[in-house]
Amino acid sequence: MILINFSIGSVYCWTLFKEDIISYTGFSKSVTEWCFSLAIFCLGMSAAFGGKIVEKDVKKSTLITFITFTLGWIVTGFGIQMKSAFLTVLGFGVIQGIGLGFGYITPVKTLMIWMDKNKGLAAGLSIGGFALAGVLVNPLIAFFLGKVPVYVVFYVLAGIFGACIFAAYLLIYRPEAVDDREEFQRVFKIKEIIFTKKFILLWLVFFLNITCGLALISQEKQVYCSETLGIVSIALVVIFCNISALMNLVGRLSMASWQDRLKRKHVPYFVMAISSLLVCFVASFASDKLMLTLITMWTVNFFFGCGFSCMPNILHQHYGLNQFSTVQGLSLSAWAVAGLVGNQLSLFIMHNYSLSALYLCLGIIYSVMLGLLLVWNRISFKKQA
């Protein structure tokens, strides 16, 4: 199951490809930015609408992941080779994006059922595979980009990731499980979930955290190489990106594991909001300091990962297990919208203002997120008080 998220997590390696793609094809920056934005949008929307398929047949959803994700990378490589912006956006943004959505929600409930006593850790392990891709694939991409044309890298990785997902398809199995809490025994209608204050506020908190995370992750290489910092060594940039990916992975595993010991599963979200807003506000006053930028980047990545791995246990606590994949899919529509906002926001600010302005903007967004989280906490546990 980790094989699936390891493969689809490669979407966050896009920042390493962008300059080489532009150099080879002559595409404008907007083309590469929209590839990433549409990939995340299609991820969220396919997860939102694919939840019921995952509930019924986990094998089928894994097969859909294998076909769409692998095909997406092949079409992307072909689009770059033919210097076709349409095919490149279609391959990476749309076809691969659909595979991302199905692949993301397919393993989570399955692993939570297998690890019933440690559901947080189960979610962390499953979703942690998404961050593991950055740690392992970043140096692989850097190696290949120096040896072969950029489109060839996509063909090679399509083969590697396709093999991993097909292996997962052969191995995956979900035992039957029923939530033992009486209030979650019945089947909920979608409108009973999404049109409630509790879900809307949680969706907004999720959306804001993802927006901030994507704003930095999608521009990480560009931040390091900006005039403010002026790092020119690609090897050093890859090392920094690897550490960011490692922090993302550690955040997913450590915070989800800690969550298992908490009565109220949303507590890590408070830690996430407060820590992230503090480092962004501090960094906004000294954006020319490399060490402070690294601390900010790694902290945001740590809690960006935490936001994803801790969400499943929050959803389980409030909506149960029986329709978990459906609810998780609906919540991931926040990721879809954030995919259209996050990197476009950072691109606009970096181009028109400064790195300092970007940090300040993110600090403000995290402050709003904290306020919404406080309101959500009050509403969600009002009946239990």
Side-chain angles (χ1 to χ4, degrees):
M1 287 176 277
I2 294 175
L3 288 172
I4 298 175
N5 268 316
F6 160 72
S7 299
I8 65 176
S10 58
V11 67
Y12 284 148
C13 302
W14 182 250
T15 185
L16 296 179
F17 284 117
K18 290 191 293 186
E19 299 300 328
D20 290 85
I21 292 173
I22 291 171
S23 177
Y24 181 84
T25 62
F27 293 162
S28 65
K29 280 190 176 181
S30 63
V31 172
T32 58
E33 295 303 330
W34 278 109
C35 282
F36 185 81
S37 292
L38 284 176
I40 301 302
F41 176 77
C42 290
L43 184 163
M45 297 312 295
S46 60
F49 289 101
K52 288 188 176 180
I53 295 176
V54 178
E55 297 282 10
K56 292 180 181 178
D57 191 341
V58 72
K59 280 275 190 183
K60 182 178 180 179
S61 64
T62 307
L63 184 60
I64 293 172
T65 302
F66 165 70
I67 294 171
T68 53
F69 185 79
T70 308
L71 181 62
W73 277 74
I74 293 171
V75 173
T76 303
F78 185 70
I80 295 169
Q81 186 177 1
M82 295 293 103
K83 301 182 180 180
S84 168
F86 172 76
L87 286 176
T88 304
V89 173
L90 175 67
F92 196 85
V94 180
I95 302 174
Q96 185 229 195
I98 294 171
L100 291 174
F102 276 94
Y104 191 86
I105 61 175
T106 290
V108 180
K109 179 178 177 178
T110 303
L111 204 56
M112 290 175 74
I113 293 173
W114 280 109
M115 299 175 65
D116 183 58
K117 301 300 183 182
N118 297 282
K119 289 185 172 66
L121 178 59
L125 287 171
S126 176
I127 297 172
F130 206 84
L132 184 63
V135 178
L136 299 180
V137 178
N138 275 342
L140 188 63
I141 291 172
F143 171 78
F144 279 127
L145 286 176
K147 306 292 183 181
V148 297
V150 62
Y151 63 85
V152 175
V153 183
F154 280 87
Y155 295 148
V156 173
L157 292 179
I160 295 172
F161 297 143
C164 289
I165 299 174
F166 191 74
Y169 165 72
L170 296 175
L171 295 171
I172 197 167
Y173 168 73
R174 177 189 291 173
E176 291 295 325
V178 179
D179 201 299
D180 57 3
R181 291 172 293 179
E182 187 176 345
E183 66 267 34
F184 299 130
Q185 293 289 333
R186 71 182 183 89
V187 176
F188 291 90
K189 294 181 179 179
I190 290 177
K191 66 180 181 180
E192 292 182 73
I193 298 171
I194 63 176
F195 295 122
T196 61
K197 291 180 180 178
K198 182 167 72 171
F199 184 84
I200 292 171
L201 285 168
L202 187 60
W203 188 96
L204 288 171
V205 169
F206 200 31
F207 161 74
L208 293 177
N209 184 57
I210 298 170
T211 296
C212 291
L214 291 179
L216 283 185
I217 289 174
S218 66
Q219 304 296 328
E220 185 168 6
K221 180 180 177 181
Q222 287 68 39
V223 167
Y224 296 143
C225 298
S226 65
E227 292 182 4
T228 305
L229 296 177
I231 300 174
V232 294
S233 170
I234 298 301
L236 194 59
V237 169
V238 171
I239 290 173
F240 290 157
C241 289
N242 266 15
I243 297 174
S244 291
L246 182 61
M247 292 300 291
N248 194 313
L249 174 60
V250 172
R252 292 170 192 249
L253 295 176
S254 61
M255 298 300 279
S257 180
W258 175 49
Q259 188 186 38
D260 278 327
R261 300 191 292 273
L262 300 172
K263 182 179 180 181
R264 295 193 173 186
K265 305 301 183 183
H266 65 283
V267 171
Y269 266 47
F270 277 107
V271 179
M272 172 180 72
I274 295 170
S275 301
S276 299
L277 73 87
L278 286 176
V279 295
C280 285
F281 277 133
V282 171
S284 69
F285 292 103
S287 60
D288 59 333
K289 305 297 183 184
L290 175 60
M291 184 53 64
L292 189 54
T293 289
L294 292 175
I295 291 172
T296 303
M297 190 71 73
W298 296 340
T299 301
V300 168
N301 267 279
F302 180 93
F303 287 108
F304 181 64
C306 158
F308 282 104
S309 65
C310 290
M311 179 58 76
N313 223 350
I314 296 173
L315 295 176
H316 172 258
Q317 183 173 58
H318 290 274
Y319 299 101
L321 188 64
N322 293 342
Q323 291 175 271
F324 175 82
S325 294
T326 301
V327 178
Q328 186 194 20
L330 291 170
S331 71
L332 289 173
S333 63
W335 200 356
V337 182
L340 297 178
V341 177
N343 66 316
Q344 300 295 335
L345 173 67
S346 59
L347 181 66
F348 174 80
I349 294 176
M350 291 278 287
H351 180 73
N352 294 283
Y353 299 97
S354 64
L355 183 57
S356 179
L358 176 61
Y359 291 143
L360 180 61
C361 179
L362 297 184
I364 293 170
I365 293 174
Y366 279 123
S367 299
V368 174
M369 186 181 83
L370 178 60
L372 292 174
L373 189 58
L374 288 167
V375 177
W376 177 85
N377 179 67
R378 183 175 180 181
I379 289 174
S380 298
F381 293 95
K382 191 175 182 179
K383 294 181 180 180
Q384 300 179 23

